[in-house]
Amino acid sequence: MLSVLDALNGQLLAAMERAFPEASARARESGSSPDPQLAPASKPEFGDFQANGALPLAKPLGQPPRQIAAAIVEQLAADPAFSALCLEPQIAGPGFINLTLRPERLTAEVAARLGDPRLGVSTASEEAGGQAPAPVVVDFSSPNIAKEMHVGHLRSTIIGDCLARVLEFRGHPVLRLNHVGDWGTQFGMLITHLKQVAPEALDTADAVDLGDLVAFYRQAKARFDDDETFQTTAREEVVKLQAGDPLSLKAWGLLCDQSRREFQKIYDRLDIRLSERGESFYNPFLQAVVDDLTAAGLLVVDAGAGCVFLEGVSGKDGQPLPLIVQKSDGGFNYATTDLAAIRYRFAPKPEGDGAGRVIYVTDAGQASHFAGVFQVARRAGWIPEGASVEHVPFGLVQGEDGKKLKTRAGDTVRLKDLLDEAVERAEADLRRRLAEEERQEDDTFIEHVATTVGLAAVKYADLATNRITNYQFSFDRMLALTGNTAPYLLYAVVRIAGIARRGGDLEGAGESVAGSAAVAGGAAPCGDLSFSEPQEWALIRELLKLDGVIAEVETELLPNRLCSYLFELSQVFNRFYDQVPVLKADEPARSSRLALCRLTADTLKLGLGLLGIPTLERM
Ligand code: ARG
């Protein structure tokens, strides 16, 4: 209902200007304008919206706010466009203006959505008057080569994918970038170690699998930590690689391929699209970072290392903290790569990505790293005016004991095992339910449902909690059929779609309602739709929140808002369906209510789709 909100805002503004021309002129002179302070009503009994703009005018105008509100309301009443939208406004409390939409307006909104595959959600370019929006970079997943992808990367993958889906749906060109760690010191250790224990891994594809690689990496790390000669050789090996030595590059390529294939299996299972652009991509731009920073007078050599001292960030001793850009041995680090990446992403095309917004989805532990990188990038002038750069942090994944997630044997949990277990448990739950209901289903059905539910449960559990807090991983909770879970919502879709289908004999009539409304547009009378019950209006109002919720996720990057909305919508639907007859109602109530069922199912499907969760026909 954002378009309604927009229209109302304009009408309120105009009414305020008409009611208080001098005050408005004065406000305009100082570059501002009166603010209607329009927001959704805090309680249903206050109507749909509430405008609090009269209150701050009391002082400058020297009038009681209720009187100001009355003057605004008088002007509103004189505006036919307003009267077409709202019932007579009510003044409440100290001077709040409560606004209630006309029922026929709500009905028209419903009718418009029934004929609209986007369910009333506009696109960013529509809002920008047809102008193509600048690309948005979503940097997510980003595991490290030769190391196992862990639950933290899984969180980043699931949250990042959801944000990318929402931004894409809103019509932004999205670059889904996998900033894999493929260029660090781990290669020096790994190559040195492999040369001695498994040289075939360095010149033959598939000689080792990721599990072995991870084990080799651990051994290499252990040697690095307590063997000085090994350390030196490993360091030389990194230098060789980064300088482009062909043999090192070949070994590096093989190791990366090996990891890449394993990562891809996880992405395929979860239906995640990503473009790999690892740290190595930025290697050619690292020197330019140092040059730019030197030219800008930001680079300071401190104990042999190239640093930029951060403003407003000091260490324990009260001295400003540096962001190290070049180590004393001349090598570059994680921060240098991120500086090169940010510089490249905001640089205009074709030299860079020409991004307008760059989003990084990582654990909260990297917050100070990104704050430092963003600050230096800003001071270096790499972030264009109007562009934004955001770190999207998330909390740790914990076991049910509140400690770091571990297997029973105390090892780190492998993602493959975690996903397998979710699917196995979903299958066991399903078989139990089928037995209870004495239903016969074939294995294809069972496998399909169990896979969908299991993976959906993992994704949804991750998305439904506020990402900032730590998150307790529990198979039992995520697979429960009740509560704010994926199985609950998937089940709601099946049930509601089923009701809409069972109205089958009237499906044709439903179609024509949608069709005529789509042709006639929102403001026209809407065919046969007719609503009268409070439960219907409650459901309609909930359905019409979709575009606002999506816009909120787009700005605040909090997928849990969308989850809460979908959960709330299913509950409002249940109240409606429990208390109001649908299939047994007389016309035109019957088709109108069936239309609400269909719109609810479509809204849930669309919302779950944005979370990266496919829905089921039956389960
Ligand atoms: N590879 C890093 C890690 O595993 C995450 C990279 C995040 N992206 C970035 N541009 N730094 O922690």
Side-chain angles (χ1 to χ4, degrees):
M1 265 203 296
L2 290 176
S3 58
V4 171
L5 199 71
D6 247 19
L8 271 179
N9 203 48
Q11 292 162 3
L12 275 157
L13 206 64
M16 289 169 92
E17 304 233 350
R18 286 198 303 277
F20 306 102
E22 301 85 31
S24 308
R26 247 178 288 130
R28 258 197 312 277
E29 266 161 36
S30 65
S32 67
S33 64
D35 178 7
Q37 297 198 3
L38 182 66
S42 52
K43 286 193 188 137
E45 54 269 34
F46 297 158
D48 291 296
F49 303 103
Q50 185 172 322
N52 299 347
L55 279 71
L57 288 179
K59 214 177 203 176
L61 289 172
Q63 289 179 27
R66 277 190 79 98
Q67 196 177 321
I68 297 172
I72 299 173
V73 166
E74 198 183 305
Q75 289 301 326
L76 280 176
D79 177 354
F82 174 79
S83 308
L85 216 53
C86 287
L87 300 172
E88 200 187 315
Q90 304 294 319
I91 299 172
F96 306 133
I97 304 173
N98 288 343
L99 302 167
T100 305
L101 292 173
R102 289 187 169 279
E104 59 270 32
R105 264 315 297 208
L106 291 171
T107 309
E109 291 287 328
V110 170
R113 279 164 188 55
L114 285 168
D116 174 9
R118 297 187 55 85
L119 305 182
V121 181
S122 59
T123 61
S125 72
E126 277 161 18
E127 281 161 27
Q131 235 180 24
V136 181
V137 168
V138 185
D139 174 322
F140 70 107
S141 192
S142 310
N144 301 314
I145 300 287
K147 301 190 196 170
E148 199 99 53
M149 193 172 169
H150 55 68
V151 280
H153 295 123
L154 182 67
R155 275 210 97 173
S156 173
T157 306
I158 292 170
I159 297 171
D161 176 60
C162 167
L163 297 176
R165 282 177 195 261
V166 169
L167 289 159
E168 281 155 358
F169 182 65
R170 285 276 293 126
H172 298 278
V174 175
L175 279 161
R176 300 161 155 260
L177 295 186
N178 200 0
H179 190 86
V180 294
D182 64 355
W183 207 237
T185 43
Q186 79 257 41
F187 288 97
M189 307 179 210
L190 195 58
I191 292 175
T192 311
H193 183 57
L194 285 175
K195 270 189 179 163
Q196 294 163 17
V197 298
E200 67 282 7
L202 298 174
D203 60 9
T204 327
D206 295 326
V208 292
D209 69 34
L210 184 69
D212 297 337
L213 214 52
V214 171
F216 282 132
Y217 171 71
R218 263 192 222 125
Q219 294 159 10
K221 176 90 177 60
R223 288 182 67 184
F224 185 87
D225 288 342
D226 53 38
D227 176 347
E228 238 169 74
T229 5
F230 185 86
Q231 233 174 64
T232 321
T233 332
R235 288 228 172 82
E236 284 162 9
E237 204 55 69
V238 185
V239 176
K240 268 204 325 223
L241 170 67
Q242 300 194 339
D245 173 78
L247 280 179
S248 310
L249 274 178
K250 180 172 183 207
W252 169 77
L254 288 173
L255 299 175
C256 289
D257 272 345
Q258 204 59 47
S259 289
R260 199 171 280 137
R261 268 198 297 273
E262 288 306 310
F263 298 156
Q264 193 55 43
K265 284 184 199 158
I266 303 276
Y267 298 142
D268 286 344
R269 266 181 106 171
L270 295 173
D271 187 24
I272 308 278
R273 267 185 311 106
L274 266 161
S275 309
E276 183 181 320
R277 200 205 266 171
E279 294 180 5
S280 61
F281 175 88
Y282 302 99
N283 190 43
F285 309 108
L286 297 173
Q287 190 53 49
V289 164
V290 175
D291 296 347
D292 265 19
L293 294 175
T294 312
L298 293 171
L299 203 79
V300 178
V301 179
D302 191 57
C307 318
V308 178
F309 283 96
L310 297 172
E311 286 169 357
V313 192
S314 40
K316 284 199 193 86
D317 53 0
Q319 296 298 310
L321 278 181
L323 185 79
I324 298 176
V325 179
Q326 190 159 25
K327 293 181 280 185
S328 52
D329 65 3
F332 301 111
N333 58 19
Y334 187 51
T336 329
T337 307
D338 259 326
L339 287 172
I342 208 170
R343 184 174 174 272
Y344 187 94
R345 291 165 181 182
F346 282 118
K349 288 178 190 168
E351 280 76 32
D353 294 320
R357 186 179 191 188
V358 179
I359 292 165
Y360 300 80
V361 188
T362 79
D363 62 288
Q366 301 199 31
S368 53
H369 162 76
F370 284 111
V373 167
F374 296 171
Q375 185 194 110
V376 172
R378 200 159 270 130
R379 285 162 68 195
W382 297 329
I383 304 178
E385 204 159 321
S388 73
V389 54
E390 289 148 275
H391 178 219
V392 175
F394 53 79
L396 301 172
V397 184
Q398 300 171 322
E400 283 178 85
D401 54 3
K403 297 208 191 100
K404 203 173 160 203
L405 190 69
K406 287 242 155 69
T407 62
R408 258 190 220 118
D411 299 325
T412 46
V413 178
R414 295 178 53 206
L415 295 190
K416 181 185 175 299
D417 298 341
L418 183 144
L419 299 179
D420 285 348
E421 181 162 354
V423 172
E424 277 157 27
R425 286 180 182 237
E427 180 175 335
D429 286 353
L430 174 61
R431 287 191 188 276
R432 212 172 305 129
R433 196 157 47 80
L434 290 177
E436 270 164 29
E437 293 171 9
E438 296 180 16
R439 265 168 70 191
Q440 289 293 330
E441 298 288 357
D442 61 22
D443 285 348
T444 327
F445 173 87
I446 292 177
E447 195 196 311
H448 177 61
V449 173
T451 308
T452 309
V453 171
L455 299 178
V458 172
K459 285 191 181 183
Y460 192 85
D462 206 331
L463 296 168
T465 49
N466 186 321
R467 60 174 163 73
I468 315 284
T469 50
N470 291 345
Y471 146 63
Q472 285 203 355
F473 193 93
S474 156
F475 282 117
D476 287 336
R477 223 174 314 135
M478 70 175 68
L479 285 163
L481 258 178
T482 53
N484 188 9
T485 65
Y488 173 82
L489 284 176
L490 287 172
Y491 196 71
V493 174
V494 168
R495 176 162 164 262
I496 300 167
I499 299 164
R501 253 200 320 272
R502 264 187 289 142
D505 49 332
L506 280 156
E507 205 143 50
E511 294 296 336
S512 77
V513 169
S516 67
V519 174
C526 357
D528 305 333
L529 288 182
S530 149
F531 303 108
S532 54
E533 301 304 318
Q535 294 89 338
E536 291 174 323
W537 296 117
L539 177 56
I540 289 169
R541 289 194 156 91
E542 197 60 32
L543 285 166
L544 296 181
K545 284 183 191 163
L546 175 72
D547 60 341
V549 172
I550 290 178
E552 208 180 295
V553 178
E554 178 186 348
T555 28
E556 296 182 19
L557 307 174
L558 289 170
N560 61 305
R561 297 278 164 81
L562 181 54
C563 298
S564 308
Y565 169 68
L566 297 176
F567 183 50
E568 178 68 23
L569 175 62
S570 336
Q571 288 176 314
V572 175
F573 176 86
N574 286 343
R575 239 165 282 149
F576 153 85
Y577 192 66
D578 288 346
Q579 297 172 9
V580 179
V582 173
L583 292 165
K584 294 208 172 85
D586 295 327
E587 288 303 341
R590 185 176 189 271
S591 356
S592 303
R593 290 172 191 169
L594 279 170
L596 289 186
C597 295
R598 192 145 49 88
L599 188 55
T600 307
D602 288 348
T603 305
L604 290 174
K605 274 189 213 167
L606 185 119
L608 285 165
L610 293 177
L611 299 174
I613 296 177
T615 54
L616 292 159
E617 287 291 310
R618 299 190 304 123
M619 69 188 272

